[in-house]
Amino acid sequence: MRAISGLWRWRHNPLRRGTDLAEAWVCLAALLLMLVAAPVIGTLVGSAADESLQRSVREQQRRRHQVTARVVEELKHTAPAADPETASRDTRSRVLASWSAPDGTERRGPVTAPLRDPEPGDRFALWTDRQGRPAVRPLDPATATTHAVIAGIGAALLAALLVELARRLALWRMIRRRYACWDQAWDRAGPDWGRTGTGI
C-alpha cells in the first residue's frame, strides 16, 4: 500500500525527482512479486514435492509388507533412555520375535515391539521388506501431503524474503547514488556558499 500511495503522491508533484518515482516503482514491483510470484512458486514447489513424496509412498507400500510377529522372549535394554520422562511413557520393548516372511519362510530376530510388558507368545504387527527383514513403517499419504504443504509454504516465504532483500538492496543503491549526486552538487556550490550578494 505504501508503494501505491507513493506512486500516487509523486504523480504530479513539482518537487518530484526521478529517484523518488523509481523508488516507488521498485516498492510496487516488490509488492506485486510478493503477492503473485511467491504464492505461485510455493504452489509449484508444493505440487512437485507432493508428487515426489506420493511416488515414494507408493513405492514403499509396494516393497514393504505388514506381518504378524510373535514374541519369543523379552530382551534386556542395553542402555538407559536419555530422557527419564520419555522412558516412563515409552510403550515399546526390545524383544526376540519370530515371523513369517512374505515368501513364507520363517524368520527370527531382535525387533522393537509396541508392547509395554511383552510375554512369550504375544503377537504384534511388524513391517518387513520383501526378504522378510524388519523395516520401518511406510510413509503415510496424509503425512506426505503435510510435508509437501510445508515445503510449499517454506518456498513461498523464501521467495518473498528474497524479493524483500532485492528491494532493500535496490533502494540502498538508489539512496547511495542520490547522496553521491548531492555531494557533487555541494562540491560545485560549496566554494561560493555564503558569498551571494557580497560583491566578491
Side-chain angles (χ1 to χ4, degrees):
M1 295 307 295
R2 192 169 140 199
I4 295 171
S5 66
L7 279 174
W8 186 261
R9 186 176 70 241
W10 289 113
R11 247 179 359 133
H12 301 296
N13 193 319
L15 299 177
R16 182 193 72 196
R17 295 166 298 193
T19 56
D20 296 325
L21 196 58
E23 285 178 19
W25 277 112
V26 166
C27 291
L28 179 61
L31 177 67
L32 291 176
L33 284 173
M34 286 184 196
L35 293 177
V36 177
V40 168
I41 289 171
T43 301
L44 292 175
V45 169
S47 297
D50 188 52
E51 184 180 332
S52 176
L53 288 170
Q54 294 300 338
R55 193 166 43 249
S56 294
V57 166
R58 289 190 295 272
E59 185 67 19
Q60 289 179 10
Q61 289 178 343
R62 189 173 62 81
R63 292 177 175 269
R64 297 176 191 171
H65 307 277
Q66 190 175 31
V67 298
T68 301
R70 184 177 55 83
V71 175
V72 175
E73 64 176 325
E74 181 179 8
L75 300 176
K76 298 300 178 192
H77 293 287
T78 56
D83 185 2
E85 286 188 28
T86 306
S88 65
R89 293 193 305 261
D90 195 6
T91 59
R92 303 185 328 155
S93 304
R94 191 86 174 140
V95 299
L96 179 65
S98 64
W99 65 90
S100 296
D103 61 3
T105 60
E106 286 296 318
R107 296 296 176 106
R108 187 176 190 157
V111 296
T112 302
L115 304 169
R116 182 183 290 278
D117 297 312
E119 297 290 336
D122 286 349
R123 297 181 181 278
F124 62 94
L126 177 69
W127 286 96
T128 66
D129 60 13
R130 290 177 172 176
Q131 288 74 37
R133 295 176 298 219
V136 296
R137 178 182 180 152
L139 187 63
D140 184 75
T143 304
T145 300
T146 301
H147 289 321
V149 169
I150 291 171
I153 291 172
L157 291 176
L158 181 61
L161 177 64
L162 290 175
V163 168
E164 175 62 13
L165 289 175
R167 181 191 73 82
R168 287 177 182 261
L169 179 62
L171 290 181
W172 177 75
R173 293 190 63 164
M174 286 180 183
I175 290 171
R176 282 182 60 91
R177 190 177 308 142
R178 180 187 302 158
Y179 287 163
C181 290
W182 286 354
D183 287 341
Q184 290 172 1
W186 182 255
D187 287 341
R188 286 192 301 269
D192 295 330
W193 182 257
R195 296 183 181 180
T196 306
T198 62
I200 298 175

